[in-house]
Amino acid sequence: MAADLGELLVPYMPTIRVPRTGDRVFKSECAFSYDSPESEGGLYVCMSTFLGFGREHVERHFRKTGQSVYMHLKRTVKEKATGAAGGAVTRKRNGKVFLDLELNRDFNGDDYEYEDEAKLVIFPEHHEIPLPNIEELPALVTIACDAVLNAASPYRKQETISWDDELQVSRHARTLRQQENGVRIPPSGWKCSKCEMRENLWLNLTDGAVHCGKWFCDGTGGNGHALEHYRETNSPLAVRLDSITPDGADVYSFDEEEAVLNPRLANHLAHFGIDVLQIQKSVQTQNGHSDNEMRLRAREWEVIQESGHKLKAVYGSGYTGIKNLGNSCYLGTVMQVLFSIPEFQRMYVGNLQRIYDYSPLDPTQDFGTQMAKLGHALLSGQYSKPPVKSELIEQVMKEERKALDWHQQKGVSPRMFKALVSKDHPEFSSIRQQDAHEFFLHLINLVERNSSGSENPSDVFRFLVEERVQCCQSRKVRYTQRVDYCMRLPAPLEAATNKEELIAYEEKRREAEENLTAPPEPVRAKIPFTACLQAFTEPENVPDFWSSALQAKSAGVKTSRFTSFPEYMVVQVKKFTFGVDWIPKKLDVSVDMPDFMDLSRLRATGLQPGEEELPDITPPIVIPENSRGNSLSNFLDSSDIDESSVMLLAEMGFPQEACRKAVYYTGNMGAEMAFSWILAHMEEPDFAEPLAVHSFPEAGPSFPTASSFMDNQPPEESVAILTSMGFPRHQSIQALRVTNNNLERALDWIFTHPDCEEESEVASDAADGDLDFENDFAGANGHSDAALSPDHHDNQNPRVKDGPGRYELFAFISHMGTSTKSGHYVCHIKKEGRWVIYNDHKVCLSEKPPKDWGYLYFYHRLCSS
């Protein structure tokens, strides 16, 4: 027998690998479906790539790769037998147990036992070799099988190690010198001091300067001004403003190039007026009213989850739940809503076979494959089957319903999907709760990035907003447009219809505090939708407004209207804010969101008769005193050249002046990038000539116009970096133009726009005014949450689907808890004329959908009559 087994495996021995450190072994989930060892057909693990495949997908992998040897894993789950006294018999486990299996189970492990079976299967003949066969199999095969069976979950590291666990104390924490410049930081209203970004803002702990952070690969973040400020001032530590809590905050060291701990953070924050001790007192004060808060939140959980109703479970296509992995309900609710939209269904589920057939060798890392996999699982009904209809089962269901819940509705476990879409993102890759609105925008970014040259389902959310800014002194106006994906609706507390009830509640609450008696029943402010809409349309002040008519800072107001209406309008009710004590707060409000919404009166009208436009000139460039005489760009200061990179290149035999130019023109981005520049320019006649740095002209009394700004080329140094990477010059120039000369974003733009137009066409577009650098890309309107909006849409010709502004509500996501960073999300979706509640893996018919308690609302456009 041993000889026979050895002979079977001999031709395939070169393809059998032993998992090494860093190899991911997928033995609990198929790459193309949610099949697992518990599924009827079990799971096949490739002994070369260690990818897992269900029975209907393993043949595809065999045909594509030629890999023949797979380990077949099968787990059988059985209810424990009961003894004479009615107690469960002691569990007997099969000796062949798959370690570290993370399966889609919600049942009580004490009531069930399982048996595991493993065997090697050789394709295409389907020869089977039972395991273990330690004495009969070659040693290499035995070692490989044992390593696969004992491999840790590929998700374990991500889910058990939080960001904070690895942080080290910064070497600058105890020696940091803070400037006595009188800076005080308010609890809200922050803005980057170099651009209009209002998200991902960092406070420099040396001088109190507030700047935007780095731009992330998913489109979130900022323009990197915090890092630029460090390079200008050498001030090493910064704290993210929206992360400050009594327990600490996110601190980054630019010098050490990593997130760090700062034991003196409270003192450093107090220097700028942020009193962490006061925050702690405020939290303690809130905890002092914990009974009242708990009653309020308990009521919230009951209403949103419809706990007081006997909800009927539903099964089949479109009624599959998504299992909560632990604080992942924000992901589940967003994906349920998206895959209820026909465009997303058509893109990913309608093209399922094509996507699978053309998937890369590692489908776990392919966005389209994983979207198709999740969409098919939710819509096929394959993972949402009703229990067997028999009298015996019905009787057991009535008597032991809780014990059988796992059998009725398991849902799908999105571990592989979450690992992919959250990869390299500082928040979504953690195991902490996140904001469903932020995740929605993050996912739209990923859809945008992976839809180049094909149908883009996120087009249904995209719309144009017209912003009218008026100088209060000159009365002149400017009209601009920007792309957005969500309507952010204020919730004005002053418009509550139950003011008298709220006032009476506050009086009773204070009396209860003074008399140490039980607090009154909590009261929630009721705000009409019309009041929210009115607040949305009202003018708002523009901080630090620079009037081109006065050529000076002035008071300005801004109003927003819709240039176009999307097919699907997403409405976020702004329930979350910061209090004056820096405590994140959730407004306890209910808004009577309508089933039908008409926004037609908010359509933009453009420049009106009698209105005079503000002159089309840009603000003057202000050079800080400590940097006067220097360049405005990191590229233009030759004294900042990284000499270590220069020496490393010179040691390779290149002329030293050429090495200096290479490091200079690649912006000190390292020797590897400079080496690429050398290879691209070594044939040029002035390759070894000394570096010539052009001085930047002093700011004069005249100001450049927007048209002259468009006529100007991007910095030649930035163009040189991109062309040195092999990109055409015209494409590099276009990329820099549309990303406001941001190198990182320009590089990403090139990858996502392979079919960009020729330089001549771009120039003609600019001449025709199709490019709006001043507003579309520079974040000119910080109020639009541009840092969170998908940012690589084509602003030269944004794809918008305009139509009537009349909508009908079809879904909403609700939040329970005090903050978007905690609590729980559920969603309600209207399907087949009835409301359905999706609460993690549980899917039931809704008895009383709490439409006025929602957070994100999704409307679809009504067809014209």
Side-chain angles (χ1 to χ4, degrees):
M1 179 64 182
D4 293 341
L5 293 178
E7 290 177 4
L8 281 175
L9 290 170
V10 165
Y12 311 107
M13 290 295 289
T15 67
I16 298 176
R17 294 177 50 230
V18 178
R20 299 188 297 267
T21 302
D23 283 340
R24 298 177 302 160
V25 179
F26 295 92
K27 58 179 181 175
S28 61
E29 181 180 351
C30 171
F32 294 105
S33 71
Y34 288 91
D35 287 351
S36 72
E38 284 186 8
S39 302
E40 182 179 351
L43 192 74
Y44 294 82
V45 179
C46 174
M47 294 302 291
S48 178
T49 64
F50 310 118
L51 295 171
F53 303 97
R55 185 165 58 186
E56 65 176 302
H57 298 290
V58 64
E59 292 278 0
R60 175 190 289 107
H61 186 257
F62 163 69
R63 291 193 302 267
K64 179 178 288 189
T65 65
Q67 172 60 31
S68 298
V69 183
Y70 296 82
M71 180 183 290
H72 182 253
L73 305 177
K74 183 72 176 79
R75 169 167 288 181
T76 303
V77 181
K78 299 185 298 184
E79 188 176 2
K80 278 186 179 180
T82 55
V89 174
T90 304
R91 173 181 297 185
K92 297 180 180 179
R93 292 193 178 185
N94 190 311
K96 300 173 296 217
V97 175
F98 314 147
L99 301 182
D100 249 334
L101 274 185
E102 294 173 334
L103 301 179
N104 195 25
R105 296 182 281 111
D106 289 319
F107 55 83
N108 188 341
D110 293 334
D111 298 327
Y112 294 85
E113 61 183 359
Y114 54 85
E115 293 182 356
D116 294 346
E117 179 185 4
K119 57 189 175 184
L120 289 179
V121 179
I122 303 176
F123 283 78
E125 294 84 2
H126 289 267
H127 293 305
E128 296 183 357
I129 303 174
L131 296 175
N133 266 308
I134 299 177
E135 296 179 356
E136 301 175 359
L137 294 178
L140 173 65
V141 177
T142 300
I143 295 172
C145 291
D146 187 62
V148 169
L149 288 174
N150 289 278
S153 162
Y155 316 114
R156 179 61 54 86
K157 182 177 180 180
Q158 178 184 8
E159 296 182 355
T160 58
I161 301 178
S162 68
W163 192 35
D164 296 331
D165 291 337
E166 302 175 337
L167 303 187
Q168 302 295 323
V169 175
S170 170
R171 64 171 177 264
H172 301 289
R174 301 189 184 280
T175 59
L176 186 72
R177 288 191 173 186
Q178 297 183 279
Q179 297 179 8
E180 297 292 343
N181 53 13
V183 172
R184 291 293 180 268
I185 305 299
S188 60
W190 317 306
K191 185 186 72 170
C192 175
S193 60
K194 288 189 176 181
C195 68
E196 298 295 322
M197 285 290 182
R198 295 180 181 271
E199 301 289 339
N200 189 30
L201 297 178
W202 294 76
L203 169 69
N204 191 286
L205 292 177
T206 298
D207 55 13
V210 176
H211 294 100
C212 58
K214 181 182 178 181
W215 179 79
F216 300 127
C217 62
D218 71 336
T220 65
N223 294 316
H225 289 140
L227 177 60
E228 288 184 13
H229 183 71
Y230 160 70
R231 289 171 175 168
E232 294 170 358
T233 64
N234 203 33
S235 304
L237 296 183
V239 59
R240 199 176 76 191
L241 282 171
D242 62 358
S243 71
I244 299 173
T245 69
D247 300 321
D250 296 341
V251 181
Y252 188 82
S253 172
F254 296 106
D255 178 50
E256 296 159 283
E257 296 185 343
E258 62 180 351
V260 295
L261 295 176
N262 181 0
R264 295 180 56 81
L265 180 61
N267 294 334
H268 293 156
L269 291 175
H271 182 81
F272 300 112
I274 305 174
D275 192 343
V276 176
L277 295 178
Q278 183 62 39
I279 297 178
Q280 183 66 50
K281 291 178 182 177
S282 298
V283 171
Q284 292 171 352
T285 301
Q286 290 182 4
N287 292 339
H289 308 311
S290 58
D291 289 342
N292 200 44
E293 180 71 17
M294 287 177 62
R295 291 168 67 188
L296 180 65
R297 296 306 163 201
R299 172 63 177 163
E300 185 178 55
W301 283 66
E302 289 176 1
V303 171
I304 292 177
Q305 296 189 108
E306 304 186 52
S307 301
H309 302 275
K310 291 184 178 180
L311 303 181
K312 179 182 178 181
V314 286
Y315 308 91
S317 175
Y319 300 113
T320 302
I322 298 179
K323 186 178 179 181
N324 194 333
L325 305 177
N327 291 330
S328 68
C329 48
Y330 66 91
L331 177 149
T333 53
V334 170
M335 299 314 300
Q336 290 284 12
V337 174
L338 289 183
F339 276 114
S340 69
I341 296 174
E343 285 76 6
F344 279 82
Q345 296 174 359
R346 186 165 54 248
M347 173 67 178
Y348 296 106
V349 184
N351 295 318
L352 183 76
Q353 290 305 318
R354 182 181 61 82
I355 292 173
Y356 281 3
D357 289 342
Y358 290 95
S359 63
L361 292 179
D362 186 359
T364 68
Q365 299 301 301
D366 182 61
F367 179 76
T369 300
Q370 294 308 309
M371 283 288 284
K373 169 184 169 180
L374 179 59
H376 177 261
L378 297 180
L379 299 176
S380 66
Q382 182 178 347
Y383 303 96
S384 178
K385 297 179 180 179
V388 178
K389 300 293 184 180
S390 69
E391 292 183 2
L392 178 61
I393 294 296
E394 290 288 343
Q395 180 181 354
V396 174
M397 287 175 63
K398 293 178 181 178
E399 295 177 355
E400 300 179 3
R401 183 174 298 274
K402 290 185 178 180
L404 291 180
D405 274 349
W406 69 272
H407 181 76
Q408 297 176 47
Q409 290 185 313
K410 294 189 297 185
V412 294
S413 180
R415 294 185 186 277
M416 191 177 293
F417 180 79
K418 182 179 185 296
L420 176 63
V421 300
S422 64
K423 185 179 179 181
D424 297 328
H425 193 285
E427 293 298 330
F428 300 127
S429 61
S430 73
I431 59 175
R432 299 185 291 269
Q433 184 64 279
Q434 302 298 333
D435 187 345
H437 172 244
E438 292 182 7
F439 180 76
F440 165 75
L441 294 175
H442 170 71
L443 195 86
I444 294 301
N445 265 300
L446 295 177
V447 172
E448 293 267 1
R449 291 174 184 278
N450 290 276
S451 299
S452 178
S454 62
E455 178 186 359
N456 185 352
S458 66
D459 287 352
V460 299
F461 297 117
R462 188 183 302 107
F463 59 93
L464 290 175
V465 176
E466 175 191 88
E467 293 187 337
R468 176 186 182 272
V469 178
Q470 183 175 37
C471 172
C472 295
Q473 189 167 343
S474 67
R475 312 303 296 176
K476 296 182 179 181
V477 297
R478 173 178 293 122
Y479 286 87
T480 58
Q481 290 185 356
R482 61 176 172 85
V483 173
D484 214 332
Y485 293 77
C486 180
M487 177 184 183
R488 295 160 186 85
L489 200 63
L493 290 173
E494 64 275 8
T497 57
N498 58 338
K499 288 182 181 178
E500 294 182 359
E501 190 179 0
L502 291 170
I503 293 173
Y505 162 72
E506 282 298 323
E507 292 178 354
K508 291 179 181 179
R509 187 183 63 80
R510 283 194 295 267
E511 291 176 3
E513 289 179 16
E514 295 173 359
N515 301 327
L516 301 179
T517 58
E521 194 68 25
V523 177
R524 181 178 288 256
K526 299 177 180 179
I527 302 177
F529 170 73
T530 53
C532 298
L533 204 58
Q534 180 62 33
F536 175 82
T537 61
E538 289 179 352
E540 59 178 305
N541 293 325
V542 181
D544 299 323
F545 174 69
W546 188 86
S547 171
S548 58
L550 306 176
Q551 296 190 8
K553 284 191 175 183
S554 174
V557 293
K558 182 186 70 176
T559 54
S560 300
R561 295 293 186 270
F562 293 95
T563 302
S564 66
F565 289 111
E567 292 188 40
Y568 290 84
M569 179 65 78
V570 183
V571 180
Q572 176 201 25
V573 178
K574 298 169 68 173
K575 291 187 174 183
F576 300 94
T577 184
F578 276 93
V580 294
D581 52 5
W582 279 82
I583 298 295
K585 301 170 74 173
K586 179 180 179 180
L587 302 179
D588 293 313
V589 299
S590 63
V591 179
D592 61 338
M593 296 296 292
D595 287 318
F596 297 92
M597 177 176 67
D598 191 347
L599 302 177
S600 301
R601 67 183 183 88
L602 299 184
R603 185 175 285 278
T605 57
L607 187 68
Q608 295 298 294
E611 290 184 332
E612 186 178 353
E613 289 190 273
L614 285 163
D616 190 15
I617 59 177
T618 58
I621 299 173
V622 179
I623 304 177
E625 290 294 332
N626 59 0
S627 61
R628 288 192 181 275
N630 295 331
S631 166
L632 296 177
S633 167
N634 290 322
F635 293 114
L636 301 183
D637 189 351
S638 59
S639 64
D640 288 339
I641 292 177
D642 183 2
E643 294 297 337
S644 61
S645 296
V646 173
M647 294 304 298
L648 188 61
L649 295 169
E651 290 174 357
M652 299 180 186
F654 299 112
Q656 184 162 351
E657 286 300 329
C659 298
R660 288 177 56 80
K661 290 198 320 189
V663 175
Y664 170 80
Y665 284 124
T666 54
N668 284 336
M669 296 173 70
E672 185 176 354
M673 186 71 74
F675 180 70
S676 299
W677 186 95
I678 287 177
L679 295 180
H681 294 80
M682 59 191 310
E683 300 299 329
E684 297 176 1
D686 60 346
F687 174 67
E689 295 295 322
L691 174 65
V693 179
H694 302 286
S695 60
F696 196 87
E698 291 290 334
S702 61
F703 304 105
T705 64
S707 59
S708 66
F709 175 77
M710 287 191 293
D711 291 339
N712 288 337
Q713 293 286 89
E716 190 60 35
E717 297 82 1
S718 301
V719 177
I721 292 175
L722 295 177
T723 55
S724 69
M725 299 179 187
F727 300 113
R729 178 177 175 81
H730 70 83
Q731 190 181 27
S732 303
I733 292 175
Q734 183 180 1
L736 288 165
R737 280 175 168 169
V738 300
T739 57
N740 204 26
N741 297 331
N742 184 302
L743 265 176
E744 289 182 273
R745 299 173 73 171
L747 185 60
D748 180 76
W749 189 94
I750 290 175
F751 283 122
T752 55
H753 294 76
D755 54 346
C756 69
E757 300 176 358
E758 293 296 322
E759 182 179 12
S760 59
E761 295 175 345
V762 176
S764 64
D765 286 344
D768 293 338
D770 289 339
L771 303 179
D772 189 354
F773 300 97
E774 188 173 337
N775 299 284
D776 285 343
F777 302 98
N781 173 37
H783 304 285
S784 67
D785 287 349
L788 292 175
S789 297
D791 81 330
H792 64 271
H793 49 72
D794 190 350
N795 277 267
Q796 303 171 53
N797 186 22
R799 302 179 302 274
V800 294
K801 300 181 179 181
D802 194 13
R806 297 185 298 276
Y807 295 91
E808 180 181 3
L809 180 69
F810 77 94
F812 61 94
I813 295 174
S814 306
H815 174 266
M816 296 157 280
T818 58
S819 167
T820 54
K821 303 300 183 182
S822 63
H824 183 56
Y825 289 95
V826 302
C827 69
H828 288 72
I829 305 176
K830 194 173 185 179
K831 293 189 175 183
E832 300 176 325
R834 57 187 184 177
W835 283 97
V836 180
I837 178 174
Y838 293 78
N839 188 355
D840 294 336
H841 62 284
K842 299 182 288 292
V843 183
C844 302
L845 293 179
S846 173
E847 293 289 332
K848 190 177 181 181
K851 300 174 188 176
D852 54 343
W853 291 57
Y855 172 50
L856 285 179
Y857 294 84
F858 296 80
Y859 287 81
H860 67 82
R861 188 163 60 204
L862 292 172
C863 298
S864 300
S865 56

